[in-house]
């Protein structure tokens, strides 16, 4: 696991954008457009904004043929609800960057077909060739996507019940914790760890404890994000505040400062 501690959230966004663009560029030049794993939530917004800014300035790669897969989706929202994660990712990223809706995927929360939604989503990811790079945030309770504490480290896409902490954290999008749906569909921890490269982003003091547990604590379902320790290619991009509880901070800085120029994340 490579832990990169940067001065500001803007630097986190810039490095994450570089990494996504590298994957998109190499897909384009190989003739096999990239498959990106996208996360909703507040943290990746600065990265999406940076990618959109570069594309508008003519500095970005071509997104022709790129497909995207969301991590998760609320269950029980009315059709077309603006807080659905599919609507959110289109509004915040894919529409602006020019990835058409038919190539933007998320778990299907339609009530009538809910029992098969998980296996259908797993099959869609496999059919697309698998996710090359997966952007991840982390919950203040250590969740990864909507895999709440106690989730199996081998889990696949399925329905989950949100914790009270997560519903409180997400109340800002719905007006009150009671208005936040109780149930979600989420890629499992086993699904997430099949992606080629995991890019976890965390900024702000509120994430410091969860980051420390994920990076330096024991691998345990109690902190679902600790599953990152089992993956061979993980980059954890942090600002100073989110990194503030890490014990090996000096070492991470030393490693990054001495990183060879030829080596990307
Ligand atoms: P946030 O959410 O980026 O809005 O903090 C992260 C998460 O809950 O996984």
């Amino acid at each position: 696991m490579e832990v990169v501690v940067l001065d500001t959230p803007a630097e986190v966004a810039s490095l994450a954008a570089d990494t996504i663009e590298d994957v998109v560029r190499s897909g384009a030049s190989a003739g096999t457009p990239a498959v990106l794993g996208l996360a909703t939530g507040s943290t990746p917004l600065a990265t999406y904004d940076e990618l959109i800014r570069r594309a508008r300035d003519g500095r970005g790669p071509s997104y022709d043929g790129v497909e995207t897969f969301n991590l998760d989706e609320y269950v029980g929202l009315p059709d077309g609800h603006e807080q659905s994660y599919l609507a959110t990712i289109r509004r915040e990223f894919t529409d602006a960057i020019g990835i058409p809706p038919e190539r933007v995927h998320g778990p299907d929360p339609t009530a009538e077909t809910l029992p098969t939604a998980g296996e259908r989503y797993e099959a869609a990811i496999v059919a697309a060739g698998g996710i090359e790079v997966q952007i991840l945030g982390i919950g203040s309770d250590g969740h990864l996507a909507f895999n709440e504490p106690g989730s199996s480290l081998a889990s696949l896409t399925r329905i989950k019940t949100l914790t009270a902490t997560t519903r409180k954290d997400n109340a800002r999008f719905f007006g009150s914790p009671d208005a936040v749906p109780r149930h979600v569909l989420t890629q499992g921890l086993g699904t997430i760890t099949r992606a080629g490269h995991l890019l976890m982003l965390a900024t702000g003091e509120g994430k410091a404890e969860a980051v420390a547990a994920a990076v330096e604590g024991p691998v345990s379902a109690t902190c679902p994000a600790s599953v990152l320790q089992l993956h061979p290619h993980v980059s954890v991009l942090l600002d100073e505040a989110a990194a503030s509880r890490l014990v090996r901070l000096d070492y991470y800085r030393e490693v990054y400062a001495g990183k060879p120029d030829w080596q990307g994340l």
Side-chain angles (χ1 to χ4, degrees):
M1 180 170 337
E2 181 170 28
V3 180
V4 181
V5 184
L6 298 159
D7 290 341
T8 63
E11 287 177 42
V12 169
S14 175
L15 185 56
D18 291 346
T19 308
I20 300 294
E21 286 192 336
D22 283 350
V23 172
V24 172
R25 271 199 191 91
S26 28
S29 58
T32 48
V35 180
L36 305 177
L38 302 179
T40 47
S42 305
T43 313
L45 285 180
T47 301
Y48 299 148
D49 287 346
E50 176 68 14
L51 288 167
I52 292 165
R53 197 162 31 244
R54 293 180 190 185
R56 289 197 173 136
D57 291 352
R59 289 180 293 141
S62 161
Y63 288 84
D64 275 0
V66 168
E67 284 204 71
T68 71
F69 286 86
N70 275 359
L71 282 171
D72 41 20
E73 185 57 277
Y74 289 114
V75 169
L77 291 178
D79 256 3
H81 194 286
E82 60 167 16
Q83 291 304 332
S84 91
Y85 280 167
L86 205 54
T88 300
I89 207 70
R90 285 191 52 187
R91 186 173 61 243
E92 288 168 349
F93 182 52
T94 55
D95 282 355
I97 209 104
I99 303 174
E102 63 272 19
R103 286 206 284 272
V104 178
H105 310 281
D108 171 16
T110 308
E112 296 73 31
T113 53
L114 213 43
T116 61
E119 64 197 71
R120 283 185 286 121
Y121 201 54
E122 293 289 328
I125 294 171
V126 170
I131 292 166
E132 287 169 75
V133 59
Q134 174 67 59
I135 300 179
L136 296 162
I138 183 171
S140 61
D141 64 357
H143 73 210
L144 202 59
F146 273 142
N147 294 281
E148 297 285 25
S151 293
S152 158
L153 301 180
S155 51
L156 300 179
T157 305
R158 69 218 183 285
I159 196 160
K160 288 290 288 182
T161 302
L162 296 180
T163 60
T165 306
T166 299
R167 293 176 70 230
K168 189 162 147 274
D169 284 349
N170 288 9
R172 65 192 191 279
F173 300 113
F174 289 88
S176 75
D178 283 344
V180 180
R182 282 181 189 279
H183 295 118
V184 293
L185 282 162
T186 181
Q187 284 190 31
L189 297 170
T191 319
I192 291 168
T193 51
R194 286 178 190 161
H197 180 194
L198 304 181
L199 193 59
M200 193 180 89
L201 317 178
T203 54
E205 169 68 27
K207 299 296 171 68
E209 208 169 304
V211 165
V215 172
E216 295 180 339
V219 174
S220 160
T222 296
C223 177
S226 67
V227 76
L228 297 182
Q229 296 178 38
L230 299 175
H231 192 282
H233 190 184
V234 177
S235 308
V236 179
L237 310 191
L238 307 171
D239 70 350
E240 295 275 354
S244 59
R245 304 273 175 91
L246 290 168
V247 171
R248 289 188 290 270
L249 201 46
D250 291 345
Y251 177 65
Y252 305 135
R253 289 188 203 282
E254 183 189 334
V255 171
Y256 190 63
K259 194 175 168 72
D261 290 339
W262 52 263
Q263 194 184 46
L265 288 182

